[in-house]
Amino acid sequence: MIMQKLTNKTVLISGASFAGLCAAYWMNRSGYKVTVVEIAKGLKMGGTPVNIEGNTVGIVKRMGIFENIKSNRIAMEMLEFKNSDDVTEGTMELRKKGESLKEDGFEIERNTLLNILFDLVKNDVEFVFENSITSLKDTTNHIEVTFKNGSVQDFDLVLGCDGIHSSVRKIWFGHQEEYSHFLGQYFSITIVDKLLIKENTTQFFNIPDKAIMLNAYNNKTDIVLCFRSENEIPYDYRNESQQRKIIFDQFKGESWRTPELLQEMMDSKTFYFDKLCQIKMPSWTKGRVALVGDAGYCASPAAGMGGSLAIDGAAALGDAFEKFDGNFELAFQDYNKTFRPFIEEVQERVLTMGLETLVPRTEDAISKRNKGGFGF
Ligand SMILES: Cc1cc2nc3c(=O)[nH]c(=O)nc-3n(C[C@H](O)[C@H](O)[C@H](O)COP(=O)(O)OP(=O)(O)OC[C@H]3O[C@@H](n4cnc5c(N)ncnc54)[C@H](O)[C@@H]3O)c2cc1C
């Protein structure tokens, strides 16, 4: 049960992932009656583990879920850079043998964290699955929302927490092209229920402009395949077999364990494909609507911080409501101002460091990275 102030104000949150569930927690605490609308049948599961570090540790402590996260953490031990003969060219020891686990940074499975957040809010928040917002209209004191199932309802506020292809952003702020910056790379994620490498180990194999990452934990292995492309590739985002073929065509004929990994990718039940891009907006709020998480400021998976930025962003908004005692206009202004420098710094770091070290462009750069690691 979340401690909340009592008001009769209402907020609709679009999207039930990290941004949406965390925003639901903080808005409920600020006294809002919260409804979350999620387009999927349930929570959208899948994806690689999420990092909880730095500022985010303090936030999950304030939310009362720190111990739960800690007890479910994954303890990665070693990162290895492989060449095409499967020889290890460099390593980064993430944890020494016998060394106790860090207290200031955790990795946790995406699904486990989603379930922890859902359990935190499920009794205080109304969830509507398999529905979505189709239009928004400002009225004098409210915002009128029309849903895909035809119903119409007024809310005091709407929060777009619906990810990188946010429909709230599209409906209220303008088309994706205005805000989305393509980073010249595509990636796929497949998770198989077996260990393809030693547990708690990550392996990288690169060829110029392409990267393969294996990540093994809890009897699972993530297979991440990433390639560079100067231009955007037209594809149907609902057509998974077309996306699998794009990846297959890019990687077929490559060395190391590529044939085996492509077969796993083609046979797998889970598959996630997207372009690497960043969302940059001059303001994350307009009128009675705000964006939180990837919808407003995706830094791209290359930042390795998608989950934590969403958790941090929701807390920044929650703190702003606390600071201005529920005055949403002042709270929105504060959220835009105080959270922006951190986002700009993370997005810049991806451009200057992340992309080059994850997917180097030449054999020389690969060799240098393999020997020097990621420099963290
Ligand atoms: C299935 C899945 C797997 C992912 N895997 C990875 C990964 O492996 N590595 C990585 O770095 N990042 C991954 N991501 C992205 C990562 O979750 C986000 O970067 C980060 O968690 C930010 O969270 P978010 O809540 O802002 O957005 P997201 O986690 O993307 O969540 C957006 C939510 O909104 C819902 N939604 C979308 N459109 C609508 C709509 N019109 N109406 C209502 N709801 C809608 C989605 O179903 C989803 O639940 C994945 C996202 C998803 C959805």
Side-chain angles (χ1 to χ4, degrees), residues 81 89 184-185 204-212 226-228 353-371 373-374:
F81 298 103
E89 291 198 330
Q185 296 186 13
F204 263 86
F205 170 67
N206 284 78
I207 29 210
D209 290 346
K210 289 176 194 163
I212 300 180
C226 185
F227 67 90
R228 287 185 190 259
M353 284 166 63
L355 297 177
E356 289 312 310
T357 50
L358 288 170
V359 191
R361 311 219 63 167
T362 62
E363 289 289 1
D364 270 359
I366 293 170
S367 170
K368 206 165 144 204
R369 195 284 318 271
N370 284 357
K371 289 185 181 89
F374 288 125

PDB file of all heavy atoms in Angstrom, residues 81 89 184-185 204-212 226-228 353-371 373-374:
ATOM      1  N   PHE A  81      36.649 -10.690 -24.835  1.00  0.00           N
ATOM      2  CA  PHE A  81      36.622 -10.292 -26.239  1.00  0.00           C
ATOM      3  C   PHE A  81      37.219 -11.422 -27.065  1.00  0.00           C
ATOM      4  O   PHE A  81      38.384 -11.795 -26.842  1.00  0.00           O
ATOM      5  CB  PHE A  81      37.418  -9.000 -26.438  1.00  0.00           C
ATOM      6  CG  PHE A  81      36.840  -7.845 -25.671  1.00  0.00           C
ATOM      7  CD1 PHE A  81      37.437  -7.401 -24.487  1.00  0.00           C
ATOM      8  CD2 PHE A  81      35.696  -7.205 -26.109  1.00  0.00           C
ATOM      9  CE1 PHE A  81      36.897  -6.346 -23.776  1.00  0.00           C
ATOM     10  CE2 PHE A  81      35.145  -6.141 -25.394  1.00  0.00           C
ATOM     11  CZ  PHE A  81      35.749  -5.714 -24.226  1.00  0.00           C
ATOM     12  N   GLU A  89      40.973 -12.422 -26.714  1.00  0.00           N
ATOM     13  CA  GLU A  89      42.022 -11.420 -26.970  1.00  0.00           C
ATOM     14  C   GLU A  89      42.151 -10.412 -25.834  1.00  0.00           C
ATOM     15  O   GLU A  89      43.129  -9.692 -25.742  1.00  0.00           O
ATOM     16  CB  GLU A  89      41.712 -10.665 -28.260  1.00  0.00           C
ATOM     17  CG  GLU A  89      41.853 -11.527 -29.488  1.00  0.00           C
ATOM     18  CD  GLU A  89      41.977 -10.711 -30.758  1.00  0.00           C
ATOM     19  OE1 GLU A  89      41.413  -9.596 -30.805  1.00  0.00           O
ATOM     20  OE2 GLU A  89      42.631 -11.190 -31.690  1.00  0.00           O
ATOM     21  N   GLY A 184      22.589   5.126 -36.817  1.00  0.00           N
ATOM     22  CA  GLY A 184      23.323   4.364 -37.834  1.00  0.00           C
ATOM     23  C   GLY A 184      23.560   2.909 -37.475  1.00  0.00           C
ATOM     24  O   GLY A 184      24.478   2.287 -38.011  1.00  0.00           O
ATOM     25  N   GLN A 185      22.751   2.362 -36.576  1.00  0.00           N
ATOM     26  CA  GLN A 185      22.915   0.942 -36.219  1.00  0.00           C
ATOM     27  C   GLN A 185      21.551   0.300 -35.984  1.00  0.00           C
ATOM     28  O   GLN A 185      20.608   0.969 -35.540  1.00  0.00           O
ATOM     29  CB  GLN A 185      23.731   0.800 -34.925  1.00  0.00           C
ATOM     30  CG  GLN A 185      25.156   1.306 -35.053  1.00  0.00           C
ATOM     31  CD  GLN A 185      25.980   1.028 -33.806  1.00  0.00           C
ATOM     32  OE1 GLN A 185      25.584   0.268 -32.933  1.00  0.00           O
ATOM     33  NE2 GLN A 185      27.140   1.653 -33.724  1.00  0.00           N
ATOM     34  N   PHE A 204      32.115 -10.792 -26.376  1.00  0.00           N
ATOM     35  CA  PHE A 204      31.963  -9.918 -27.533  1.00  0.00           C
ATOM     36  C   PHE A 204      32.759 -10.474 -28.697  1.00  0.00           C
ATOM     37  O   PHE A 204      33.911 -10.871 -28.527  1.00  0.00           O
ATOM     38  CB  PHE A 204      32.528  -8.520 -27.224  1.00  0.00           C
ATOM     39  CG  PHE A 204      31.480  -7.549 -26.814  1.00  0.00           C
ATOM     40  CD1 PHE A 204      31.074  -7.468 -25.493  1.00  0.00           C
ATOM     41  CD2 PHE A 204      30.892  -6.703 -27.751  1.00  0.00           C
ATOM     42  CE1 PHE A 204      30.098  -6.574 -25.110  1.00  0.00           C
ATOM     43  CE2 PHE A 204      29.912  -5.803 -27.374  1.00  0.00           C
ATOM     44  CZ  PHE A 204      29.516  -5.743 -26.052  1.00  0.00           C
ATOM     45  N   PHE A 205      32.154 -10.497 -29.865  1.00  0.00           N
ATOM     46  CA  PHE A 205      32.898 -10.792 -31.092  1.00  0.00           C
ATOM     47  C   PHE A 205      32.552  -9.693 -32.094  1.00  0.00           C
ATOM     48  O   PHE A 205      31.371  -9.412 -32.335  1.00  0.00           O
ATOM     49  CB  PHE A 205      32.509 -12.163 -31.662  1.00  0.00           C
ATOM     50  CG  PHE A 205      33.062 -12.399 -33.038  1.00  0.00           C
ATOM     51  CD1 PHE A 205      34.431 -12.533 -33.235  1.00  0.00           C
ATOM     52  CD2 PHE A 205      32.226 -12.444 -34.148  1.00  0.00           C
ATOM     53  CE1 PHE A 205      34.953 -12.716 -34.508  1.00  0.00           C
ATOM     54  CE2 PHE A 205      32.741 -12.633 -35.428  1.00  0.00           C
ATOM     55  CZ  PHE A 205      34.112 -12.768 -35.602  1.00  0.00           C
ATOM     56  N   ASN A 206      33.578  -9.072 -32.647  1.00  0.00           N
ATOM     57  CA  ASN A 206      33.344  -7.985 -33.622  1.00  0.00           C
ATOM     58  C   ASN A 206      34.007  -8.259 -34.961  1.00  0.00           C
ATOM     59  O   ASN A 206      35.079  -8.874 -35.021  1.00  0.00           O
ATOM     60  CB  ASN A 206      33.926  -6.667 -33.099  1.00  0.00           C
ATOM     61  CG  ASN A 206      33.063  -6.047 -32.024  1.00  0.00           C
ATOM     62  OD1 ASN A 206      33.089  -6.482 -30.866  1.00  0.00           O
ATOM     63  ND2 ASN A 206      32.283  -5.055 -32.400  1.00  0.00           N
ATOM     64  N   ILE A 207      33.380  -7.792 -35.998  1.00  0.00           N
ATOM     65  CA  ILE A 207      33.996  -7.608 -37.295  1.00  0.00           C
ATOM     66  C   ILE A 207      33.711  -6.152 -37.639  1.00  0.00           C
ATOM     67  O   ILE A 207      32.772  -5.583 -37.066  1.00  0.00           O
ATOM     68  CB  ILE A 207      33.362  -8.550 -38.378  1.00  0.00           C
ATOM     69  CG1 ILE A 207      31.928  -8.839 -38.034  1.00  0.00           C
ATOM     70  CG2 ILE A 207      34.215  -9.751 -38.665  1.00  0.00           C
ATOM     71  CD1 ILE A 207      31.377 -10.155 -38.470  1.00  0.00           C
ATOM     72  N   PRO A 208      34.470  -5.515 -38.492  1.00  0.00           N
ATOM     73  CA  PRO A 208      34.200  -4.096 -38.716  1.00  0.00           C
ATOM     74  C   PRO A 208      32.712  -3.846 -39.035  1.00  0.00           C
ATOM     75  O   PRO A 208      32.127  -4.535 -39.871  1.00  0.00           O
ATOM     76  CB  PRO A 208      35.106  -3.743 -39.911  1.00  0.00           C
ATOM     77  CG  PRO A 208      36.252  -4.692 -39.764  1.00  0.00           C
ATOM     78  CD  PRO A 208      35.643  -5.971 -39.260  1.00  0.00           C
ATOM     79  N   ASP A 209      32.135  -2.914 -38.300  1.00  0.00           N
ATOM     80  CA  ASP A 209      30.737  -2.493 -38.468  1.00  0.00           C
ATOM     81  C   ASP A 209      29.705  -3.501 -37.973  1.00  0.00           C
ATOM     82  O   ASP A 209      28.505  -3.311 -38.191  1.00  0.00           O
ATOM     83  CB  ASP A 209      30.429  -2.128 -39.934  1.00  0.00           C
ATOM     84  CG  ASP A 209      31.116  -0.837 -40.353  1.00  0.00           C
ATOM     85  OD1 ASP A 209      31.595  -0.106 -39.451  1.00  0.00           O
ATOM     86  OD2 ASP A 209      31.173  -0.562 -41.553  1.00  0.00           O
ATOM     87  N   LYS A 210      30.147  -4.583 -37.334  1.00  0.00           N
ATOM     88  CA  LYS A 210      29.191  -5.566 -36.791  1.00  0.00           C
ATOM     89  C   LYS A 210      29.644  -6.045 -35.418  1.00  0.00           C
ATOM     90  O   LYS A 210      30.859  -6.141 -35.179  1.00  0.00           O
ATOM     91  CB  LYS A 210      29.061  -6.781 -37.713  1.00  0.00           C
ATOM     92  CG  LYS A 210      28.328  -6.468 -38.992  1.00  0.00           C
ATOM     93  CD  LYS A 210      28.278  -7.631 -39.920  1.00  0.00           C
ATOM     94  CE  LYS A 210      27.840  -7.121 -41.304  1.00  0.00           C
ATOM     95  NZ  LYS A 210      28.089  -8.006 -42.388  1.00  0.00           N
ATOM     96  N   ALA A 211      28.692  -6.358 -34.562  1.00  0.00           N
ATOM     97  CA  ALA A 211      29.037  -6.867 -33.228  1.00  0.00           C
ATOM     98  C   ALA A 211      28.083  -7.979 -32.838  1.00  0.00           C
ATOM     99  O   ALA A 211      26.891  -7.943 -33.182  1.00  0.00           O
ATOM    100  CB  ALA A 211      28.932  -5.736 -32.206  1.00  0.00           C
ATOM    101  N   ILE A 212      28.636  -8.966 -32.146  1.00  0.00           N
ATOM    102  CA  ILE A 212      27.790 -10.009 -31.541  1.00  0.00           C
ATOM    103  C   ILE A 212      28.119 -10.027 -30.054  1.00  0.00           C
ATOM    104  O   ILE A 212      29.298 -10.040 -29.675  1.00  0.00           O
ATOM    105  CB  ILE A 212      28.072 -11.404 -32.139  1.00  0.00           C
ATOM    106  CG1 ILE A 212      27.810 -11.391 -33.647  1.00  0.00           C
ATOM    107  CG2 ILE A 212      27.221 -12.460 -31.442  1.00  0.00           C
ATOM    108  CD1 ILE A 212      28.060 -12.726 -34.338  1.00  0.00           C
ATOM    109  N   CYS A 226      24.300  -6.815 -33.793  1.00  0.00           N
ATOM    110  CA  CYS A 226      24.193  -5.383 -34.084  1.00  0.00           C
ATOM    111  C   CYS A 226      25.002  -5.058 -35.343  1.00  0.00           C
ATOM    112  O   CYS A 226      26.110  -5.560 -35.508  1.00  0.00           O
ATOM    113  CB  CYS A 226      24.766  -4.643 -32.878  1.00  0.00           C
ATOM    114  SG  CYS A 226      24.600  -2.887 -32.964  1.00  0.00           S
ATOM    115  N   PHE A 227      24.442  -4.267 -36.234  1.00  0.00           N
ATOM    116  CA  PHE A 227      25.209  -3.890 -37.428  1.00  0.00           C
ATOM    117  C   PHE A 227      24.975  -2.424 -37.764  1.00  0.00           C
ATOM    118  O   PHE A 227      23.954  -1.843 -37.398  1.00  0.00           O
ATOM    119  CB  PHE A 227      24.847  -4.791 -38.626  1.00  0.00           C
ATOM    120  CG  PHE A 227      23.436  -4.608 -39.142  1.00  0.00           C
ATOM    121  CD1 PHE A 227      23.158  -3.677 -40.138  1.00  0.00           C
ATOM    122  CD2 PHE A 227      22.390  -5.364 -38.633  1.00  0.00           C
ATOM    123  CE1 PHE A 227      21.865  -3.494 -40.609  1.00  0.00           C
ATOM    124  CE2 PHE A 227      21.083  -5.189 -39.099  1.00  0.00           C
ATOM    125  CZ  PHE A 227      20.823  -4.254 -40.087  1.00  0.00           C
ATOM    126  N   ARG A 228      25.982  -1.855 -38.436  1.00  0.00           N
ATOM    127  CA  ARG A 228      25.868  -0.449 -38.849  1.00  0.00           C
ATOM    128  C   ARG A 228      25.212  -0.337 -40.213  1.00  0.00           C
ATOM    129  O   ARG A 228      25.394  -1.211 -41.066  1.00  0.00           O
ATOM    130  CB  ARG A 228      27.264   0.181 -38.958  1.00  0.00           C
ATOM    131  CG  ARG A 228      27.921   0.458 -37.630  1.00  0.00           C
ATOM    132  CD  ARG A 228      29.225   1.189 -37.858  1.00  0.00           C
ATOM    133  NE  ARG A 228      30.005   1.278 -36.639  1.00  0.00           N
ATOM    134  CZ  ARG A 228      30.064   2.380 -35.877  1.00  0.00           C
ATOM    135  NH1 ARG A 228      29.402   3.469 -36.218  1.00  0.00           N
ATOM    136  NH2 ARG A 228      30.802   2.390 -34.796  1.00  0.00           N
ATOM    137  N   MET A 353      31.434   8.034 -27.101  1.00  0.00           N
ATOM    138  CA  MET A 353      32.188   6.842 -26.694  1.00  0.00           C
ATOM    139  C   MET A 353      31.496   5.533 -27.030  1.00  0.00           C
ATOM    140  O   MET A 353      32.066   4.635 -27.626  1.00  0.00           O
ATOM    141  CB  MET A 353      32.422   6.878 -25.180  1.00  0.00           C
ATOM    142  CG  MET A 353      33.509   7.843 -24.772  1.00  0.00           C
ATOM    143  SD  MET A 353      33.423   8.115 -23.020  1.00  0.00           S
ATOM    144  CE  MET A 353      33.749   6.459 -22.411  1.00  0.00           C
ATOM    145  N   GLY A 354      30.217   5.432 -26.643  1.00  0.00           N
ATOM    146  CA  GLY A 354      29.506   4.154 -26.682  1.00  0.00           C
ATOM    147  C   GLY A 354      29.520   3.474 -28.040  1.00  0.00           C
ATOM    148  O   GLY A 354      29.913   2.313 -28.165  1.00  0.00           O
ATOM    149  N   LEU A 355      29.128   4.216 -29.075  1.00  0.00           N
ATOM    150  CA  LEU A 355      28.952   3.585 -30.384  1.00  0.00           C
ATOM    151  C   LEU A 355      30.272   3.062 -30.941  1.00  0.00           C
ATOM    152  O   LEU A 355      30.343   1.977 -31.501  1.00  0.00           O
ATOM    153  CB  LEU A 355      28.335   4.581 -31.368  1.00  0.00           C
ATOM    154  CG  LEU A 355      26.933   5.072 -31.006  1.00  0.00           C
ATOM    155  CD1 LEU A 355      26.471   6.112 -32.007  1.00  0.00           C
ATOM    156  CD2 LEU A 355      25.956   3.914 -30.965  1.00  0.00           C
ATOM    157  N   GLU A 356      31.340   3.822 -30.771  1.00  0.00           N
ATOM    158  CA  GLU A 356      32.637   3.422 -31.331  1.00  0.00           C
ATOM    159  C   GLU A 356      33.183   2.176 -30.641  1.00  0.00           C
ATOM    160  O   GLU A 356      33.755   1.311 -31.286  1.00  0.00           O
ATOM    161  CB  GLU A 356      33.653   4.576 -31.213  1.00  0.00           C
ATOM    162  CG  GLU A 356      33.377   5.738 -32.141  1.00  0.00           C
ATOM    163  CD  GLU A 356      33.093   5.314 -33.587  1.00  0.00           C
ATOM    164  OE1 GLU A 356      33.886   4.536 -34.131  1.00  0.00           O
ATOM    165  OE2 GLU A 356      32.071   5.747 -34.152  1.00  0.00           O
ATOM    166  N   THR A 357      33.030   2.094 -29.322  1.00  0.00           N
ATOM    167  CA  THR A 357      33.625   0.941 -28.620  1.00  0.00           C
ATOM    168  C   THR A 357      32.762  -0.311 -28.746  1.00  0.00           C
ATOM    169  O   THR A 357      33.279  -1.423 -28.738  1.00  0.00           O
ATOM    170  CB  THR A 357      33.869   1.239 -27.129  1.00  0.00           C
ATOM    171  OG1 THR A 357      32.683   1.775 -26.592  1.00  0.00           O
ATOM    172  CG2 THR A 357      35.037   2.159 -26.916  1.00  0.00           C
ATOM    173  N   LEU A 358      31.457  -0.160 -28.910  1.00  0.00           N
ATOM    174  CA  LEU A 358      30.596  -1.343 -29.054  1.00  0.00           C
ATOM    175  C   LEU A 358      30.717  -1.937 -30.452  1.00  0.00           C
ATOM    176  O   LEU A 358      30.766  -3.150 -30.617  1.00  0.00           O
ATOM    177  CB  LEU A 358      29.133  -0.985 -28.783  1.00  0.00           C
ATOM    178  CG  LEU A 358      28.761  -0.701 -27.322  1.00  0.00           C
ATOM    179  CD1 LEU A 358      27.370  -0.125 -27.239  1.00  0.00           C
ATOM    180  CD2 LEU A 358      28.875  -1.944 -26.470  1.00  0.00           C
ATOM    181  N   VAL A 359      30.723  -1.060 -31.452  1.00  0.00           N
ATOM    182  CA  VAL A 359      30.812  -1.535 -32.836  1.00  0.00           C
ATOM    183  C   VAL A 359      31.925  -0.758 -33.559  1.00  0.00           C
ATOM    184  O   VAL A 359      31.652   0.154 -34.351  1.00  0.00           O
ATOM    185  CB  VAL A 359      29.459  -1.357 -33.575  1.00  0.00           C
ATOM    186  CG1 VAL A 359      29.479  -2.105 -34.910  1.00  0.00           C
ATOM    187  CG2 VAL A 359      28.303  -1.846 -32.737  1.00  0.00           C
ATOM    188  N   PRO A 360      33.194  -1.111 -33.304  1.00  0.00           N
ATOM    189  CA  PRO A 360      34.286  -0.391 -33.983  1.00  0.00           C
ATOM    190  C   PRO A 360      34.202  -0.574 -35.492  1.00  0.00           C
ATOM    191  O   PRO A 360      33.651  -1.568 -35.973  1.00  0.00           O
ATOM    192  CB  PRO A 360      35.546  -1.063 -33.416  1.00  0.00           C
ATOM    193  CG  PRO A 360      35.115  -1.761 -32.173  1.00  0.00           C
ATOM    194  CD  PRO A 360      33.683  -2.146 -32.388  1.00  0.00           C
ATOM    195  N   ARG A 361      34.825   0.377 -36.228  1.00  0.00           N
ATOM    196  CA  ARG A 361      34.661   0.398 -37.682  1.00  0.00           C
ATOM    197  C   ARG A 361      35.775  -0.328 -38.435  1.00  0.00           C
ATOM    198  O   ARG A 361      35.630  -0.626 -39.612  1.00  0.00           O
ATOM    199  CB  ARG A 361      34.583   1.852 -38.168  1.00  0.00           C
ATOM    200  CG  ARG A 361      33.584   2.689 -37.377  1.00  0.00           C
ATOM    201  CD  ARG A 361      32.840   3.620 -38.243  1.00  0.00           C
ATOM    202  NE  ARG A 361      32.053   2.901 -39.216  1.00  0.00           N
ATOM    203  CZ  ARG A 361      31.104   3.445 -39.965  1.00  0.00           C
ATOM    204  NH1 ARG A 361      30.837   4.704 -39.840  1.00  0.00           N
ATOM    205  NH2 ARG A 361      30.439   2.729 -40.828  1.00  0.00           N
ATOM    206  N   THR A 362      36.918  -0.565 -37.787  1.00  0.00           N
ATOM    207  CA  THR A 362      38.052  -1.193 -38.496  1.00  0.00           C
ATOM    208  C   THR A 362      38.633  -2.326 -37.658  1.00  0.00           C
ATOM    209  O   THR A 362      38.402  -2.391 -36.446  1.00  0.00           O
ATOM    210  CB  THR A 362      39.175  -0.162 -38.728  1.00  0.00           C
ATOM    211  OG1 THR A 362      39.637   0.263 -37.421  1.00  0.00           O
ATOM    212  CG2 THR A 362      38.710   1.042 -39.522  1.00  0.00           C
ATOM    213  N   GLU A 363      39.447  -3.188 -38.340  1.00  0.00           N
ATOM    214  CA  GLU A 363      40.123  -4.277 -37.616  1.00  0.00           C
ATOM    215  C   GLU A 363      41.048  -3.693 -36.540  1.00  0.00           C
ATOM    216  O   GLU A 363      41.128  -4.226 -35.436  1.00  0.00           O
ATOM    217  CB  GLU A 363      40.956  -5.134 -38.589  1.00  0.00           C
ATOM    218  CG  GLU A 363      40.132  -5.995 -39.538  1.00  0.00           C
ATOM    219  CD  GLU A 363      39.418  -7.162 -38.867  1.00  0.00           C
ATOM    220  OE1 GLU A 363      39.532  -7.319 -37.631  1.00  0.00           O
ATOM    221  OE2 GLU A 363      38.711  -7.894 -39.589  1.00  0.00           O
ATOM    222  N   ASP A 364      41.734  -2.612 -36.860  1.00  0.00           N
ATOM    223  CA  ASP A 364      42.646  -1.981 -35.893  1.00  0.00           C
ATOM    224  C   ASP A 364      41.902  -1.515 -34.645  1.00  0.00           C
ATOM    225  O   ASP A 364      42.346  -1.725 -33.517  1.00  0.00           O
ATOM    226  CB  ASP A 364      43.296  -0.728 -36.523  1.00  0.00           C
ATOM    227  CG  ASP A 364      44.574  -1.099 -37.226  1.00  0.00           C
ATOM    228  OD1 ASP A 364      44.925  -2.298 -37.198  1.00  0.00           O
ATOM    229  OD2 ASP A 364      45.203  -0.182 -37.806  1.00  0.00           O
ATOM    230  N   ALA A 365      40.757  -0.862 -34.899  1.00  0.00           N
ATOM    231  CA  ALA A 365      39.969  -0.351 -33.765  1.00  0.00           C
ATOM    232  C   ALA A 365      39.433  -1.510 -32.921  1.00  0.00           C
ATOM    233  O   ALA A 365      39.367  -1.417 -31.686  1.00  0.00           O
ATOM    234  CB  ALA A 365      38.832   0.523 -34.275  1.00  0.00           C
ATOM    235  N   ILE A 366      39.089  -2.624 -33.586  1.00  0.00           N
ATOM    236  CA  ILE A 366      38.591  -3.793 -32.836  1.00  0.00           C
ATOM    237  C   ILE A 366      39.715  -4.338 -31.945  1.00  0.00           C
ATOM    238  O   ILE A 366      39.528  -4.589 -30.749  1.00  0.00           O
ATOM    239  CB  ILE A 366      38.089  -4.907 -33.796  1.00  0.00           C
ATOM    240  CG1 ILE A 366      36.841  -4.437 -34.535  1.00  0.00           C
ATOM    241  CG2 ILE A 366      37.803  -6.208 -33.038  1.00  0.00           C
ATOM    242  CD1 ILE A 366      36.399  -5.350 -35.681  1.00  0.00           C
ATOM    243  N   SER A 367      40.891  -4.474 -32.539  1.00  0.00           N
ATOM    244  CA  SER A 367      42.024  -5.027 -31.813  1.00  0.00           C
ATOM    245  C   SER A 367      42.373  -4.139 -30.600  1.00  0.00           C
ATOM    246  O   SER A 367      42.621  -4.634 -29.495  1.00  0.00           O
ATOM    247  CB  SER A 367      43.181  -5.139 -32.795  1.00  0.00           C
ATOM    248  OG  SER A 367      44.334  -5.445 -32.146  1.00  0.00           O
ATOM    249  N   LYS A 368      42.351  -2.822 -30.821  1.00  0.00           N
ATOM    250  CA  LYS A 368      42.647  -1.889 -29.731  1.00  0.00           C
ATOM    251  C   LYS A 368      41.599  -2.015 -28.616  1.00  0.00           C
ATOM    252  O   LYS A 368      41.920  -2.086 -27.424  1.00  0.00           O
ATOM    253  CB  LYS A 368      42.623  -0.459 -30.308  1.00  0.00           C
ATOM    254  CG  LYS A 368      43.460   0.511 -29.537  1.00  0.00           C
ATOM    255  CD  LYS A 368      43.672   1.762 -30.368  1.00  0.00           C
ATOM    256  CE  LYS A 368      43.660   2.951 -29.437  1.00  0.00           C
ATOM    257  NZ  LYS A 368      43.310   4.191 -30.059  1.00  0.00           N
ATOM    258  N   ARG A 369      40.327  -2.062 -29.019  1.00  0.00           N
ATOM    259  CA  ARG A 369      39.247  -2.185 -28.019  1.00  0.00           C
ATOM    260  C   ARG A 369      39.358  -3.523 -27.270  1.00  0.00           C
ATOM    261  O   ARG A 369      39.205  -3.595 -26.055  1.00  0.00           O
ATOM    262  CB  ARG A 369      37.895  -2.050 -28.733  1.00  0.00           C
ATOM    263  CG  ARG A 369      36.663  -1.808 -27.882  1.00  0.00           C
ATOM    264  CD  ARG A 369      36.131  -3.019 -27.142  1.00  0.00           C
ATOM    265  NE  ARG A 369      36.121  -4.242 -27.907  1.00  0.00           N
ATOM    266  CZ  ARG A 369      35.113  -4.644 -28.678  1.00  0.00           C
ATOM    267  NH1 ARG A 369      34.041  -3.919 -28.775  1.00  0.00           N
ATOM    268  NH2 ARG A 369      35.191  -5.804 -29.320  1.00  0.00           N
ATOM    269  N   ASN A 370      39.665  -4.614 -28.020  1.00  0.00           N
ATOM    270  CA  ASN A 370      39.771  -5.922 -27.376  1.00  0.00           C
ATOM    271  C   ASN A 370      40.852  -5.925 -26.296  1.00  0.00           C
ATOM    272  O   ASN A 370      40.698  -6.545 -25.249  1.00  0.00           O
ATOM    273  CB  ASN A 370      40.079  -7.013 -28.405  1.00  0.00           C
ATOM    274  CG  ASN A 370      38.842  -7.380 -29.220  1.00  0.00           C
ATOM    275  OD1 ASN A 370      37.759  -6.856 -28.982  1.00  0.00           O
ATOM    276  ND2 ASN A 370      39.012  -8.260 -30.191  1.00  0.00           N
ATOM    277  N   LYS A 371      41.933  -5.217 -26.576  1.00  0.00           N
ATOM    278  CA  LYS A 371      43.032  -5.192 -25.593  1.00  0.00           C
ATOM    279  C   LYS A 371      42.755  -4.190 -24.467  1.00  0.00           C
ATOM    280  O   LYS A 371      43.079  -4.437 -23.310  1.00  0.00           O
ATOM    281  CB  LYS A 371      44.348  -4.873 -26.284  1.00  0.00           C
ATOM    282  CG  LYS A 371      44.773  -6.074 -27.146  1.00  0.00           C
ATOM    283  CD  LYS A 371      46.128  -5.922 -27.786  1.00  0.00           C
ATOM    284  CE  LYS A 371      46.421  -7.144 -28.631  1.00  0.00           C
ATOM    285  NZ  LYS A 371      45.938  -7.016 -30.017  1.00  0.00           N
ATOM    286  N   GLY A 373      39.658  -2.854 -23.612  1.00  0.00           N
ATOM    287  CA  GLY A 373      38.331  -2.950 -22.987  1.00  0.00           C
ATOM    288  C   GLY A 373      37.505  -1.694 -23.228  1.00  0.00           C
ATOM    289  O   GLY A 373      37.802  -0.879 -24.105  1.00  0.00           O
ATOM    290  N   PHE A 374      36.456  -1.535 -22.423  1.00  0.00           N
ATOM    291  CA  PHE A 374      35.545  -0.398 -22.616  1.00  0.00           C
ATOM    292  C   PHE A 374      35.979   0.834 -21.829  1.00  0.00           C
ATOM    293  O   PHE A 374      35.306   1.847 -21.842  1.00  0.00           O
ATOM    294  CB  PHE A 374      34.125  -0.779 -22.192  1.00  0.00           C
ATOM    295  CG  PHE A 374      33.468  -1.726 -23.160  1.00  0.00           C
ATOM    296  CD1 PHE A 374      32.946  -2.940 -22.723  1.00  0.00           C
ATOM    297  CD2 PHE A 374      33.372  -1.428 -24.501  1.00  0.00           C
ATOM    298  CE1 PHE A 374      32.340  -3.814 -23.604  1.00  0.00           C
ATOM    299  CE2 PHE A 374      32.775  -2.292 -25.394  1.00  0.00           C
ATOM    300  CZ  PHE A 374      32.260  -3.492 -24.949  1.00  0.00           C
TER     301      PHE A 374
END
